[in-house]
Amino acid sequence: MKQTIISWSFFRQIIIPAFVLALICWASSRQWGTLPPLTLFLDVWNGAYNLARLTNEPESQSLHFKGLSSTVTVCRDERGVPHIFASNQRDAAFALGYLTAKDRLFQMDFQTRVATGRLAEVLGERAIDNDKYLRRTGMYLGAERTMAVIEQNKPDLKNLLEIYTQGVNTYINSLTDADLPLEFRLLHYKPEPWKPINTLFVNQIMALDLTFTGQSNDVKRAMLLEKLGETAMKELYPEHTPMPEPQSPEFQGIYTGSPKTQNTNITYSQTLHNTMELFLAHVRHAAQVFRDDAEGKGSNNWVATGNKTKSGKPLLAGDPHLSLSLPAIWYEAHIVTPETNIYGVTIPGTPGIIVGYNDYIAWSPTNTGADVLDFYTVTFENEHQQRYKYKGEWIPVHEDIRPLRVKGKPDLADTVRFTRWGPVITVQKQTLAIRWTAHESSTLLEALQGFQTAQNWKDFQSAQRYWDIPAQNLVFADNSGTIALRSCGKYPIRKKGHGKFIHNGETDEGEWIGYIPFESLPASVNPTRNWLESANQEPVPANYPYYLNYDWSNSLRAKRITQVLASTEQFDGNSFRALQTDVVSMQFYSIRDLLEQCIAEANINDPVKKAALEKLRSWNGVTGVESTETLLFKIFWDNFIPSVWDEIPDSISHYPQQDLLLFLLQNNPESIWFDDRRTPEREQAKDICRRSILSAVDTLVIKYGSNPQNWAWGKNHTLVLRHLLRQTSVKPLWRGPFPFPGFSSTVLPAAGWTVTNSASWRMVVDFKDGKPAGSGVYPGGPSGNPLSPYYDNQVSMWLSGNLYPHYKPGSPETLDKSKILQTLILKP
Amino acid sequence: MTILLFIGAILLTAATHYLSGWMWSLCIPLMYGIFAPNVTERTWLWTGGITVSAWVALFTLNFLIAAEPTLRVINTMAGLIQASLPGFILPVLSFVFAGIVGALTGQLASGVRKFLSSFNAGL
């Protein structure tokens, strides 16, 4: 009996509490589904609180690392920007790798996973479709090909990538579980060791962002061709913009190309039509995970000679427009070695400055928007997709089988099939093949290496020859007073026709037979007008003999920049900065006369509506946050566009270029395209405009009320900086919404109601003191740690439109100690 | 002596938490509950008190080291749990959690103490 009592009390008093305690310990430290471990939130020392303490670094620190050949001094200024002083480029690359990993490790890891389609490993089942899609873009293929070439033939570059990798891994290896960046702990995984090829994957992400997303327009146009016919397509999607603003007005290139031909005489089967629709849905879905639609992406850059500036020396400005995120896309850094003293921004994972300036030159890119990707129909022999038809023969596909790891689930085998064109995208058994310049081996890193130490236009142009993917327009200025603008990159020449639609993959008509020679790419050096600009408009005049693309951004930003630069004003850094945040809507000015006429003819009795319309009539087109006219104009514009293009189905949502619409408004307002097909009458532009503005003013009052204070643009038009993960579950890591000025085609990019794409880095470089001196800002901060004050410390400055003057000392000895917050000595 | 022992246990718990993590730190209140001569009843209250006090001490230390980032942690992590959750709830939840595991440790310690007593009595 006594024995039984002891056993029961033992069980009740020891076993049960011990079991419950062990259960709590176990359950609180593991991930449940997508929920992070409970102790990340609750543990007051090693949970997220540890990340708070990590932001509190000592003012001075000395560390010893294997891999360094000499001491590197790193100073962080008051904004947290690292200044690296090294005695050679190798050690500088190590330090940059170490610091970038320290600040942006999750971003580096995440981008690599996007490029290789390995998100499901950390995000689980929900990312499987996106992984498959990302793998079928073939991004990884280009990086692997580039790496193979580097390993075999480019020992210097290989060495650079290895030493950068060593720097990154030195930091990764120093981390304990509690030191891991917040995102790793939220998703409950550890970073993999960095590999040299990861740098190439990161570059591929930029290619994806700038040259892939909008390319599904080929598919959209193919669908429209079926619907509207060839004649209408030629009219609605012309080869060249009807409102040109060429960026290289005095281009003296060597034309060696063959004449262009259009291949519109293609018919598509119903099966292919289904494929196209499915593909578009697929692209839209995938874009939600990482990058968004192209709206608002682009860039501006411009440069002026001393004849246009107050100082008599060149002045350069640039602001790449990209999908904004936190941590920011760019990482600001200053690197000093005996070979160079360079300042600018890099993408975490890249061993060099991508946009910036050294002691001699400055440069900044815009996206050329060239057509560097084509789609091909694929006819498979049977459902096994082992052989496809090409020139009457059945050709075996190349199969690349790789495991697709899914968090918490067994591995899947994923087979990517390659045709001679490239990877095959299969959506519900329908197939299209893709050929993209990013599938090929790239020499982009050589170009970047050349930029770091270039001292003049000749050096810079030599390096530009290596710039292949993504195709960009680079503005340039140097100490000698030279200014230039050149498009560089790989621009394919097709055997027949263009990449406007989908090629017939059974023939060789869509074969790429070469690239536009470097000398024939649009370029301009020291033009007589004394300034150059590019804003993603069609870069060449209509007589340019090569096909570049059909999908240009409208020329409104370029026209506004041209309007300002062509004025008699003598510019300085401040006026260039002001132009970067200019919010005058050229869109409004393009339609103002017609709008005035429609408003004058409108018979409105409601005093509120009447006042709103009168205000719009006398508006100056400035889309500031206080402006009430902008809201009415936006509602009007959103009514007007689909009313004009009622021929274009909503499911395709690929309206003709805005330049065409504005051209028709100004030159052919009676065009048949303004006719509303739903009515028996034959409408003209003014009819559609009148209906749209009357409907807009009704909407304004119904939706936003009668109080004009509620119509302030900034109350209804906001900017949001989302975390890289994009999920709303991590909204506390987002910043915003912030009231935001601008409109879809203002120099300050601000498309949509909630702006997510805009100027990712603003830079102005002034050569007034002989050497270039820069200022800049980006919407974020150096740190990727959301718990650090340096995560978002530049956001308010960016929103205000001002720039930080860059601190660019030439050596650690000349440092102004009052500007330095922290010094890190890295010793071998 | 009793107070000193109690404070010593708190400090030792905090130090173990600091060095080896919170799970190992429970060993200290466990030992306290088993062997402290003054603890004869309501052991769970004593050990819960030790654990909560140690966590409060560490939380305070966080503030002393990095005040602003700690506030950011509180607000951000509370927001991650529930968008409208006020930041102060996060440390409150931490201390409640510490109290629960500390009390459970006390229950266990009490059981062990009784078992050892009966075992000794049996001998």
Side-chain angles (χ1 to χ4, degrees):
Chain A
M1 184 65 187
K2 190 181 176 187
Q3 191 65 34
T4 309
I5 290 168
I6 288 173
S7 295
W8 169 239
S9 353
F10 185 81
F11 186 78
R12 188 173 55 84
Q13 293 176 353
I14 297 180
I15 299 296
I16 291 179
F19 176 76
V20 173
L21 196 56
L23 190 68
I24 289 177
C25 289
W26 173 77
S28 62
S29 57
R30 77 180 294 270
Q31 190 174 15
W32 292 93
T34 56
L35 297 174
L38 204 56
T39 47
L40 173 64
F41 296 85
L42 299 182
D43 183 350
V44 288
W45 194 251
N46 290 318
Y49 294 94
N50 185 48
L51 299 172
R53 293 195 307 279
L54 286 177
T55 62
N56 198 26
E57 293 190 85
E59 280 182 20
S60 180
Q61 204 176 1
S62 186
L63 300 167
H64 289 266
F65 293 132
K66 281 181 190 171
L68 282 172
S69 63
S70 57
T71 299
V72 179
T73 303
V74 178
C75 302
R76 286 200 194 257
D77 64 24
E78 56 238 324
R79 287 188 292 123
V81 177
H83 302 260
I84 300 169
F85 301 92
S87 56
N88 56 64
Q89 285 192 306
R90 195 176 168 277
D91 287 346
F94 180 98
L96 184 62
Y98 178 83
L99 292 164
T100 315
K102 193 174 166 67
D103 286 334
R104 301 287 186 86
L105 187 57
F106 175 72
Q107 184 178 15
M108 294 168 79
D109 184 272
F110 187 74
Q111 286 181 332
T112 308
R113 290 182 181 282
V114 171
T116 49
R118 289 179 54 212
L119 289 171
E121 280 180 31
V122 296
L123 298 178
E125 272 180 308
R126 65 198 156 109
I128 291 177
D129 284 348
N130 292 300
D131 277 353
K132 286 185 174 179
Y133 168 73
L134 290 164
R135 288 174 182 211
R136 280 153 186 76
T137 63
M139 266 188 293
Y140 69 92
L141 181 73
E144 287 173 357
R145 284 176 174 163
T146 307
M147 198 64 224
V149 173
I150 290 172
E151 281 181 343
Q152 281 176 12
N153 305 323
K154 299 173 182 175
D156 288 349
L157 200 52
K158 181 174 178 247
N159 190 261
L160 179 79
L161 291 178
E162 282 174 352
I163 194 71
Y164 181 83
T165 298
Q166 216 174 329
V168 175
N169 287 334
T170 298
Y171 178 71
I172 292 176
N173 295 334
S174 73
L175 291 172
T176 64
D177 286 358
D179 297 337
L180 285 173
L182 180 65
E183 295 89 342
F184 288 109
R185 301 189 68 184
L186 286 171
L187 297 169
H188 206 50
Y189 80 99
K190 290 181 184 176
E192 289 179 342
W194 189 257
K195 289 180 279 191
I197 195 173
N198 289 7
T199 293
L200 307 173
F201 289 140
V202 168
N203 292 345
Q204 294 290 75
I205 291 291
M206 197 45 88
L208 177 85
D209 202 17
L210 293 173
T211 67
F212 194 92
T213 316
Q215 300 289 344
S216 54
N217 287 346
D218 293 358
V219 180
K220 292 175 180 173
R221 273 191 299 268
M223 294 165 80
L224 286 170
L225 177 64
E226 282 192 313
K227 201 168 178 63
L228 304 175
E230 198 173 326
T231 312
M233 285 302 286
K234 279 184 177 169
E235 206 172 313
L236 293 179
Y237 300 91
E239 255 187 81
H240 298 283
T241 170
M243 301 178 76
E245 192 60 60
Q247 65 190 34
S248 303
E250 297 162 28
F251 176 46
Q252 296 295 316
I254 304 158
Y255 293 164
T256 55
S258 52
K260 292 184 283 190
T261 53
Q262 283 203 39
N263 54 343
T264 52
N265 55 340
I266 297 173
T267 53
Y268 299 104
S269 64
Q270 185 56 42
T271 314
L272 185 58
H273 196 91
N274 295 341
T275 307
M276 293 190 273
E277 284 185 349
L278 288 165
F279 177 77
L280 289 182
H282 204 59
V283 168
R284 279 194 286 268
H285 177 64
Q288 289 167 4
V289 170
F290 186 62
R291 304 285 186 192
D292 301 298
D293 290 338
E295 195 183 20
K297 284 184 191 170
S299 299
N300 302 321
N301 60 19
W302 58 86
V303 63
T305 68
N307 293 331
K308 290 286 289 182
T309 63
K310 286 179 184 168
S311 67
K313 302 282 184 185
L315 200 56
L316 177 145
D319 55 310
H321 310 161
L322 295 168
S323 192
L324 304 181
S325 65
L326 285 172
I329 295 167
W330 300 106
Y331 184 71
E332 190 176 351
H334 170 215
I335 303 166
V336 182
T337 65
E339 294 84 16
T340 191
N341 176 0
I342 189 165
Y343 197 111
V345 285
T346 181
I347 294 172
T350 305
I353 296 298
I354 297 175
V355 186
Y357 57 99
N358 59 26
D359 280 346
Y360 307 93
I361 67 157
W363 75 96
S364 185
T366 61
N367 196 24
T368 310
D371 185 355
V372 295
L373 182 147
D374 285 350
F375 291 95
Y376 299 81
T377 61
V378 183
T379 309
F380 281 113
E381 189 177 29
N382 53 40
E383 72 273 18
H384 299 301
Q385 302 191 345
Q386 295 298 313
R387 300 202 302 169
Y388 65 98
K389 201 172 191 179
Y390 176 68
K391 289 169 96 171
E393 289 181 31
W394 292 108
I395 312 288
V397 294
H398 165 69
E399 287 190 338
D400 186 5
I401 304 170
R402 300 184 184 214
L404 200 160
R405 299 202 168 87
V406 185
K407 190 174 193 173
K409 302 278 174 188
D411 289 0
L412 304 172
D414 184 34
T415 307
V416 182
R417 293 186 174 83
F418 287 87
T419 63
R420 62 181 291 104
W421 313 115
V424 174
I425 290 185
T426 304
V427 186
Q428 295 182 16
K429 296 185 181 173
Q430 314 293 336
T431 52
L432 282 178
I434 299 173
R435 181 161 187 191
W436 184 23
T437 49
H439 294 158
E440 296 169 26
S441 168
S442 166
T443 53
L444 178 70
L445 285 177
E446 277 105 315
L448 288 175
Q449 284 307 297
F451 292 175
Q452 313 296 300
T453 53
Q455 298 190 1
N456 51 47
W457 172 237
K458 192 180 162 201
D459 292 349
F460 191 74
Q461 198 169 212
S462 302
Q464 273 186 321
R465 286 178 180 276
Y466 293 103
W467 188 293
D468 45 14
I469 303 152
Q472 298 285 292
N473 311 306
L474 294 163
V475 289
F476 168 92
D478 70 14
N479 280 346
S480 73
T482 298
I483 68 162
L485 171 60
R486 172 181 279 287
S487 299
C488 41
K490 270 184 172 174
Y491 301 81
I493 301 172
R494 285 83 177 170
K495 186 173 180 185
K496 190 178 174 191
H498 306 153
K500 188 175 182 179
F501 302 101
I502 299 175
H503 295 290
N504 181 352
E506 288 189 35
T507 72
D508 64 356
E509 287 179 5
E511 196 81 68
W512 292 3
I513 54 172
Y515 297 99
I516 301 176
F518 182 75
E519 288 73 16
S520 300
L521 293 172
S524 190
V525 184
N526 294 325
T528 50
R529 69 181 186 186
N530 288 311
W531 55 268
L532 289 161
E533 62 75 34
S534 73
N536 318 110
Q537 75 271 34
E538 182 173 11
V540 288
N543 64 350
Y544 185 71
Y546 295 100
Y547 163 71
L548 289 179
N549 202 351
Y550 293 89
D551 285 319
W552 305 109
S553 289
N554 67 57
S555 54
L556 295 175
R557 269 185 294 127
K559 285 188 188 304
R560 174 62 183 161
I561 296 166
T562 296
Q563 188 182 56
V564 174
L565 292 180
S567 69
T568 52
E569 192 185 339
Q570 291 288 297
F571 295 96
D572 59 13
N574 203 37
S575 47
F576 266 30
R577 179 202 59 75
L579 181 54
Q580 284 180 326
T581 49
D582 183 278
V583 288
V584 171
S585 172
M586 296 297 275
Q587 214 161 329
F588 169 72
Y589 280 103
S590 303
I591 198 173
R592 187 176 65 168
D593 293 345
L594 186 63
L595 255 179
E596 271 185 10
Q597 190 189 340
C598 293
I599 293 170
E601 290 171 5
N603 188 17
I604 299 256
N605 296 323
D606 183 318
V608 175
K609 291 179 186 174
K610 202 169 181 177
L613 288 172
E614 281 308 315
K615 239 183 147 195
L616 183 65
R617 207 172 149 189
S618 55
W619 187 35
N620 61 4
V622 176
T623 57
V625 287
E626 302 297 332
S627 145
T628 54
E629 300 91 338
T630 314
L631 180 64
L632 179 56
F633 184 64
K634 168 74 174 162
I635 300 169
F636 157 75
W637 194 255
D638 286 353
N639 286 343
F640 184 64
I641 296 285
S643 304
V644 173
W645 301 126
D646 57 342
E647 296 81 6
I648 313 293
D650 289 345
S651 59
I652 300 178
S653 70
H654 178 49
Y655 296 134
Q657 293 291 311
Q658 210 174 100
D659 279 1
L660 178 75
L661 174 63
L662 300 179
F663 178 81
L664 290 176
L665 282 171
Q666 287 168 14
N667 299 285
N668 189 9
E670 295 172 6
S671 165
I672 184 74
W673 297 112
F674 290 111
D675 183 37
D676 184 344
R677 294 181 308 154
R678 295 165 303 178
T679 65
E681 294 85 28
R682 166 75 162 80
E683 285 86 357
Q684 299 178 5
K686 64 177 179 185
D687 301 312
I688 304 298
C689 182
R690 192 186 311 114
R691 278 185 211 166
S692 301
I693 192 64
L694 292 176
S695 161
V697 77
D698 285 344
T699 307
L700 179 77
V701 174
I702 293 166
K703 195 169 174 190
Y704 299 91
S706 299
N707 184 354
Q709 281 188 340
N710 295 333
W711 303 344
W713 185 228
K715 279 190 177 174
N716 302 289
H717 181 251
T718 54
L719 175 123
V720 174
L721 298 169
R722 292 171 299 177
H723 184 267
L724 202 60
L725 281 172
R726 293 290 158 84
Q727 296 158 5
T728 48
S729 58
V730 295
K731 245 184 175 172
L733 313 186
W734 300 17
R735 295 294 179 265
F738 304 106
F740 201 63
F743 208 71
S744 64
S745 296
T746 48
V747 178
L748 171 71
W753 291 97
T754 303
V755 179
T756 54
N757 299 329
S758 193
S760 59
W761 162 246
R762 293 192 198 113
M763 178 181 79
V764 173
V765 182
D766 194 339
F767 287 73
K768 66 179 175 184
D769 299 321
K771 278 185 181 180
S775 46
V777 72
Y778 61 95
S783 176
N785 179 359
L787 309 174
S788 161
Y790 295 105
Y791 177 65
D792 52 7
N793 62 334
Q794 298 197 29
V795 172
S796 56
M797 185 69 130
W798 182 85
L799 286 167
S800 75
N802 290 311
L803 307 175
Y804 291 105
H806 293 154
Y807 182 52
K808 190 169 169 270
S811 69
E813 291 76 32
T814 56
L815 279 170
D816 177 354
K817 292 214 165 49
S818 67
K819 291 182 187 291
I820 300 303
L821 285 187
Q822 192 202 13
T823 304
L824 184 63
I825 309 289
L826 310 181
K827 291 180 177 171
Chain B
M1 181 63 190
T2 307
I3 292 291
L4 281 179
L5 196 63
F6 183 71
I7 291 171
I10 291 169
L11 293 176
L12 209 54
T13 304
T16 315
H17 190 157
Y18 177 101
L19 294 169
S20 312
W22 70 272
M23 288 189 205
W24 287 108
S25 76
L26 295 178
C27 294
I28 307 301
L30 182 70
M31 293 299 122
Y32 182 87
I34 297 169
F35 298 113
N38 59 311
V39 180
T40 50
E41 54 185 23
R42 291 186 186 169
T43 313
W44 62 271
L45 199 57
W46 288 95
T47 53
I50 288 169
T51 316
V52 171
S53 303
W55 283 47
V56 169
L58 289 172
F59 179 78
T60 310
L61 191 57
N62 269 310
F63 250 108
L64 294 174
I65 295 171
E68 197 205 323
T70 302
L71 278 175
R72 276 182 173 240
V73 170
I74 290 170
N75 292 322
T76 305
M77 301 308 282
L80 286 173
I81 296 171
Q82 170 71 43
S84 55
L85 201 66
F88 74 87
I89 294 290
L90 192 77
V92 169
L93 286 175
S94 290
F95 303 145
V96 169
F97 179 75
I100 292 169
V101 290
L104 271 168
T105 307
Q107 279 296 97
L108 180 61
S110 164
V112 173
R113 180 193 279 258
K114 281 178 189 162
F115 175 74
L116 289 177
S117 307
S118 63
F119 188 72
N120 288 336
L123 285 176

